[in-house]
Amino acid sequence: MGFTWNSSDVTALADPHFIDKLGDKNMIDKNIKLQQLRHFVVSAHRGNLSKASKELRIAQPALSQSISKLETSLNAKLLQRSQKGVVLTEAGNLF
């Protein structure tokens, strides 16, 4: 079992206006969580936080912080970080 998002899924999530297109502006907490999900998916797909941050058009430290907050809220490590990039952990693969 591996990561099964296809390129069009990732491209849609990488769109900086993806969350805005969902509609309800009163759902701030949900938007933050959707943004974290988008950050996670694009990072996992790219395998590199630097490449993901460029695609998402955000700073790499902000991307790392977003994913860390998602991991904290789930109480699970989703990505294994190294000098070579990132790979999904078992929890990340299940998520």
Side-chain angles (χ1 to χ4, degrees):
M1 299 284 170
F3 193 69
T4 59
W5 286 74
N6 67 41
S7 295
S8 61
D9 294 330
V10 173
T11 301
L13 288 169
D15 177 353
H17 303 289
F18 172 77
I19 292 171
D20 295 336
K21 292 175 185 175
L22 294 177
D24 193 345
K25 303 292 184 202
N26 296 321
M27 300 172 79
I28 300 299
D29 292 336
K30 289 186 180 179
N31 284 347
I32 291 170
K33 291 177 183 175
L34 285 172
Q35 184 177 51
Q36 290 170 334
L37 174 61
R38 180 166 48 110
H39 291 170
F40 165 71
V41 169
V42 173
S43 298
H45 182 74
R46 297 294 170 232
N48 183 292
L49 292 180
S50 181
K51 289 178 184 177
S53 69
K54 287 177 185 174
E55 182 172 335
L56 292 162
R57 298 184 187 122
I58 64 170
Q60 191 272 327
L63 176 61
S64 294
Q65 186 177 39
S66 175
I67 294 170
S68 292
K69 286 181 180 180
L70 176 62
E71 290 174 324
T72 299
S73 69
L74 296 171
N75 197 27
K77 188 93 162 156
L78 302 175
L79 296 174
Q80 181 64 45
R81 296 150 176 85
S82 74
Q83 292 292 331
K84 295 179 183 179
V86 295
V87 294
L88 289 169
T89 63
E90 185 176 347
N93 200 27
L94 292 173
F95 181 69

